[in-house]
Amino acid sequence: MKVIGILLIILGAVGIIMGLMMFGDIGIACIIGAVAALLSGIGFLLVPKQKKTA
């Protein structure tokens, strides 16, 4: 789970940088996808911590 979370965060960060270099609608779509990957990566890192306490 940690590896998947870290890879998604890296992918999200690279996607945001690439999206800022693009023009028009394609750049907006790339940034939206990168933000989704970033948020899901953060979620993958936070969920195991919450499951251990429950």
Side-chain angles (χ1 to χ4, degrees), residues 18-51:
M18 295 294 287
L20 291 174
M21 293 182 196
M22 297 178 186
F23 297 107
D25 295 339
I26 303 296
I28 294 170
C30 183
I31 292 172
I32 290 171
V35 168
L38 192 65
L39 290 175
S40 63
I42 292 170
F44 268 104
L45 291 179
L46 292 179
V47 168
K49 292 178 185 175
Q50 293 176 354
K51 281 192 171 185

Side-chain angles (χ1 to χ4, degrees), residues 1-11 37 40-42 44-45 48:
M1 292 291 265
K2 273 189 175 182
V3 174
I4 295 171
I6 292 170
L7 288 175
L8 281 169
I9 290 173
I10 293 170
L11 181 71
S40 63
I42 292 170
F44 268 104
L45 291 179

